[in-house]
């Protein structure tokens, strides 16, 4: 597995390390930032709007409901860990394809 995501079999969750850039021109996956997936969102960091935009973008790209994703670490900072609950083989395939 790549360094920016890992499967936590004990909790049955896929953990994705994210570096979030709010107030971007558009919402997109922008490659890697060190050992984290760099995600740009157009939403501002006010009232958790950037976090909601991050969850929405990742849910769309991974083909899962937003309710299956949660920010496990970094609610107020740019460095975050997002967890996908109960990932199946399709979610694992899609997370690998995020940078392809």
């Amino acid at each position: 597995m790549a360094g920016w995501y890992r499967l936590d079999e004990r909790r049955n969750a896929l953990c994705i390390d994210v570096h979030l850039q709010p107030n971007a021109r558009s919402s997109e996956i922008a490659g890697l930032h060190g050992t984290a997936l760099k995600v740009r969102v157009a939403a501002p960091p006010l009232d958790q709007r950037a976090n909601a935009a991050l969850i929405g973008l990742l849910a769309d790209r991974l083909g899962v409901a937003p309710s299956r994703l949660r920010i496990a670490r970094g609610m107020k900072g740019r460095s975050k860990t997002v967890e996908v609950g109960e990932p199946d083989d399709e979610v694992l395939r899609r997370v690998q394809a995020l940078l392809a």
Side-chain angles (χ1 to χ4, degrees), residues 16-69:
I16 304 170
D17 293 326
V18 173
H19 178 82
L20 182 64
Q21 179 185 341
N23 285 327
R25 290 181 188 236
S26 61
S27 295
E28 63 184 354
I29 306 294
L32 290 177
H33 181 84
T35 59
L37 183 68
K38 183 169 185 176
V39 180
R40 296 182 179 130
V41 294
L46 303 171
D47 301 323
Q48 301 296 314
R49 288 187 259 176
N51 287 340
L54 169 65
I55 294 295
L57 177 65
L58 288 178
D60 183 58
R61 292 289 182 92
L62 297 177
V64 298
S67 61
R68 286 185 52 195
L69 281 79

Side-chain angles (χ1 to χ4, degrees), residues 3-8 11-20 29 35-39 41 48 50-62 64-87 91-92 95 98:
W4 53 273
Y5 70 91
R6 63 199 167 283
L7 187 59
D8 185 341
R11 293 190 333 225
N12 194 21
L14 176 67
C15 301
I16 304 170
D17 293 326
V18 173
H19 178 82
L20 182 64
I29 306 294
T35 59
L37 183 68
K38 183 169 185 176
V39 180
V41 294
Q48 301 296 314
N51 287 340
L54 169 65
I55 294 295
L57 177 65
L58 288 178
D60 183 58
R61 292 289 182 92
L62 297 177
V64 298
S67 61
R68 286 185 52 195
L69 281 79
R70 74 178 191 94
I71 298 176
R73 182 183 62 80
M75 285 295 288
K76 294 184 179 181
R78 289 178 179 233
S79 295
K80 303 178 182 300
T81 300
V82 177
E83 287 185 354
V84 182
E86 301 178 10
V91 170
L92 294 174
V95 79
L98 284 176

